[in-house]
Each structure stands twice: as C-alpha cells, then as structure tokens.
Amino acid sequence: MAASNVVKILSDLVSRPSVNPMGRSVPHESPFFEGRVSDYLESFFRSLDVPFERRTISPGRDNLIAKFEPSDARHTLLWDAHQDTVPTEGMVIDPFRPSVEGGRVYGRGSCDVKGGMAAMLSAFARLVNNRPKGAARVILACTVDEEYTHTGSSALASQGLEVDLAIVAEPTMLEVVTAHKGAVRWKVLTEGVACHSSRPRDGINAIYRMAHVLTAIQNYSECLQESTPDPLLGPPTLSVGRIEGGQSVNVVPDTCSIDLDRRVIPGEDVDGVRQALRDALHQALGDSIPFAFSEPWVRMPSLGPDRASSWVEPVREAIGTVLGQRPSISAVPYGTDAGPLSASGIPSLVLGPGDIAQAHTKDEWIAVDQLEQAVEVYYAIACHLGREGLTNAH
Ligand SMILES: [Zn+2]
C-alpha cells in the first residue's frame, strides 16, 4: 500500500544521517555528508531497474539522478529533492531513529526534506511499475548541499537537462510556491597596522576602519528598504551578521572582517548587487578607508513567478484532482534549489508535503497524511502534465 510504503521510505532515509557540515571542517564519517543516503538511493533505483547516474559534486557528495522514460511522453518534468539536512545540536528527540506516533513521523530531515523526497521516490516507483498511459517523462534528481551553498542544484542546473518544468520538494503544505528571494553572502575586510596598544598612534586600527564601513553599510541598507519592492516578496535587504577582528586587548588590530547577508529579489543580479554596494561604499568613504570584498560563499538566485507562469494552472488542476480543490499560490521567504534551476532557464515551482514551521526544529516531524497526499499529488502531476492540451505552456 502506498501509505505504509512512503512512511517506510522516509524511515529508511531518516535513519541514514546526512548532516550538512555548514562550512565547518568535519571528518567524512557519520553523521556528516550525504553518502549513506546516496547509497540507499542508488540501490533504490537499481531495484527499480531504471537508468540513473551518480555524479560526484565534491569528495563524498554525489547527486543521484534517475529517469522514468516512457517512449510516448510529450513533456519532461524534473523532480528535485535535497539529500542533506541541517545539524542536530539541541534536538530533544533521537534525530536518526525515526518514530511514528500520533500520525507523525519524527526525526531530523523528516520535514526538510526527506519527507518530500520519500513522496517523490514513492510516486516515481509507482510510475515505473504502472507505466500509466500518457505520463510525462520524469527525471528525479536528489541533490547535495542544499542547506549551505547549493552546489548540488547549481551543478544540476548547469548540466543542460532538457526539462519543461522543475518541481522542487520543500515543505509548502502542498501549496504551489512560485517565488522566493535569493541570497548572496560574503565578507568585507579592512586592514590596519598592528602595534602595542599603549602607543596606538604608531599603528592603524582595522576595527576603527571597519566602524566607518559599518556606518556606510547601515545607511545603504536603510535606502534599500525604500527601494522598489517586489510585489510578492517586498524590498531587498542587507544585514551584517558577524564581526571578527583583533588578537588581544593590548594590540592595535591589523584585521577586521564582517559577514554580509544580502537578500535579492527577482530582477536583481547576484554580481550586480555586490558591485552596487562597492560603489556606494566608495562614494560614502572616498579613498580614506580602504576595504576589500571576499568572493561570496553563497550565491543563491531568487525564484520569480514569470518563467513557470503557464505551468501554474495545469499543476494546480492536477493537485485539485487529488485534494478536491486547487491549492493556493504563495511566495516564501526562504531560498530553495528552485533558485539555481530557474536561473539556468528551467521553469521551476516549489511544492511539497509538511509545514516549514516544523523544519530545522528540535523535534522535527511531518504529518503522515501530508506524506500520503504528496505521493498522490506528484503522481497526478506526472500523469496530468504528460497529456496534451498544454501547448500554451511553451
Ligand atoms: Zn530543504
């Protein structure tokens, strides 16, 4: 039965730790990195006897990409779900021992997004086994490193897949998400000259220099709040989240750095927003305060509603056949794999079981009925969007 099947798959996934180290230096062993989930996926696709590839993105981190290829398919869907989870510090349940209680499955990743992945795997297996007439071609991509730098989906996006529509699993309560902001994160650095703190005039204080930079950034971020907002997502934002500098209270500091988080809206370009800040700082500070930018370690494009607009109604109609009514369309504040996919030209939507309020929590869970409905929803979308009458979608 599909219900017990999806819960079983989710339990299998949760019991295989795949914690994203989030940029920290950690050993290549449990619970870090996605290898255990990738091995499970490989045997899952092998047992279905479908073509698949295991593509290494960085050492020990592989995208798994499987294909359901009916010969008469008219459209191709990309289903995307990420293999990694956030870390487990502070959790009050055993993160890797899935438990099913009171209509919920508990465990790290159950909501974000192993639940969505289990539903996609279950629907994919049903497509392969039933081969419903007129179904779309489905490429199921299980990516790595969504929670930190999106290297998996960025590699997938640059692979040149011929796809009509990508559906990205994230907990949306089975609503159709058409837009979200993107993010760029990088450091600004100032340098000085170290000397003994009893003779500060002999040196140059990098923290004092950064103070000027910070004031200019704060002014700039306030202007940004007043800039033309996106109708769904509001204005872009800029925030300073960390500062680091100095070695000791008795040494004039020769370095200082801050971490910036710039949220971009559709229409903004990741490189363009960095240049705009650089120009604003030069204008505010002149040549008196030298500073430098690091390369960004996160460059996640936004998702705008335009590219996938003609697919939204067919998708809602397919979901309506399962749920009895068409789901809402919404925009969300968090970023997803749909950013890089959409930026590469693939129309993309975000759709999955569970509530984002339960993602990344200390007792993460997902409702079993959401999981079961998601299996039906994904399956219905593959059947519905394979049919004709979607010529307006091109
Ligand atoms: Zn996620």
Side-chain angles (χ1 to χ4, degrees):
M1 204 174 105
S4 57
N5 185 33
V6 67
V7 171
K8 167 77 170 68
I9 295 172
L10 175 54
S11 300
D12 289 345
L13 292 170
V14 168
S15 64
R16 288 164 174 78
S18 55
V19 171
N20 194 317
M22 311 299 283
R24 290 174 298 168
S25 172
V26 297
H28 266 266
E29 55 197 48
S30 189
F32 296 108
F33 298 105
E34 295 87 346
R36 285 161 297 275
V37 168
S38 306
D39 291 345
Y40 174 83
L41 293 166
E42 178 168 343
S43 62
F44 187 94
F45 296 135
R46 218 177 269 288
S47 71
L48 284 177
D49 200 21
V50 290
F52 71 91
E53 66 170 320
R54 183 166 176 161
R55 207 174 247 249
T56 300
I57 305 305
S58 59
R61 313 189 79 173
D62 305 337
N63 282 354
L64 265 284
I65 302 159
K67 290 180 180 170
F68 166 62
E69 299 183 293
S71 54
D72 57 347
R74 300 168 64 100
H75 295 108
T76 302
L77 297 175
L78 173 65
W79 290 355
D80 169 292
H82 60 86
Q83 301 178 45
D84 57 319
T85 70
V86 290
T88 57
E89 279 83 3
M91 288 191 80
V92 296
I93 55 169
D94 188 337
F96 308 123
R97 187 170 299 158
S99 66
V100 187
E101 277 169 59
R104 299 169 171 181
V105 182
Y106 287 85
R108 176 51 91 222
S110 56
C111 180
D112 186 4
V113 74
K114 289 179 173 179
M117 178 181 281
M120 283 184 166
L121 288 167
S122 184
F124 184 84
R126 205 200 295 179
L127 286 170
V128 171
N129 291 327
N130 295 3
R131 303 206 154 260
K133 203 169 160 33
R137 202 175 288 113
V138 176
I139 301 171
L140 175 48
C142 302
T143 57
V144 293
D145 189 29
E146 190 273 346
E147 297 288 1
Y148 191 56
T149 56
H150 292 261
T151 51
S153 58
S154 299
L156 181 70
S158 64
Q159 217 174 306
L161 295 171
E162 295 212 2
V163 171
D164 295 295
L165 175 68
I167 296 191
V168 173
E170 287 294 343
T172 70
M173 289 298 282
L174 296 172
E175 290 186 359
V176 177
V177 167
T178 59
H180 62 64
K181 286 183 182 174
V184 199
R185 296 185 184 140
W186 75 100
K187 285 181 190 293
V188 184
L189 309 114
T190 53
E191 284 187 1
V193 176
C195 70
H196 196 278
S197 61
S198 64
R199 300 165 57 98
R201 283 175 174 274
D202 291 352
I204 298 173
N205 189 316
I207 292 178
Y208 288 168
R209 282 185 163 174
M210 186 59 83
H212 292 276
V213 173
L214 282 168
T215 303
I217 287 177
Q218 189 177 1
N219 292 338
Y220 180 81
S221 71
E222 278 158 20
C223 294
L224 219 47
Q225 283 292 320
E226 307 302 318
S227 63
T228 312
D230 179 87
L232 295 169
L233 299 164
T237 59
L238 174 62
S239 172
V240 176
R242 285 187 74 242
I243 183 162
E244 208 169 8
Q247 307 141 37
S248 157
V249 71
N250 60 351
V251 178
V252 168
D254 60 354
T255 60
C256 187
S257 72
I258 55 171
D259 292 3
L260 294 186
D261 180 60
R262 172 71 159 83
R263 299 296 168 128
V264 299
I265 60 175
E268 285 191 315
D269 157 50
V270 163
D271 296 314
V273 301
R274 273 162 50 85
Q275 189 57 45
L277 180 65
R278 199 192 298 270
D279 293 345
L281 292 182
H282 279 306
Q283 198 172 12
L285 304 170
D287 295 331
S288 60
I289 308 290
F291 65 89
F293 282 6
S294 73
E295 282 303 304
W297 69 88
V298 167
R299 30 183 322 133
M300 184 185 61
S302 63
L303 174 67
D306 297 343
R307 213 184 292 277
S309 58
S310 57
W311 289 101
V312 171
E313 286 316 310
V315 166
R316 292 179 74 214
E317 189 181 308
I319 299 171
T321 65
V322 175
L323 303 182
Q325 60 182 29
R326 293 181 178 216
S328 315
I329 301 170
S330 56
V332 293
Y334 54 88
T336 77
D337 278 353
L341 293 172
S342 177
S344 79
I346 300 174
S348 304
L349 300 171
V350 186
L351 167 70
D355 191 330
I356 194 70
Q358 271 92 48
H360 304 192
T361 53
K362 61 186 195 299
D363 63 341
E364 182 171 355
W365 56 269
I366 190 166
V368 172
D369 67 350
Q370 278 280 305
L371 282 173
E372 293 171 349
Q373 285 177 348
V375 178
E376 305 301 324
V377 159
Y378 291 138
Y379 188 79
I381 288 171
C383 294
H384 195 88
L385 268 61
R387 298 207 184 104
E388 47 207 305
L390 292 175
T391 42
N392 67 334
H394 288 274

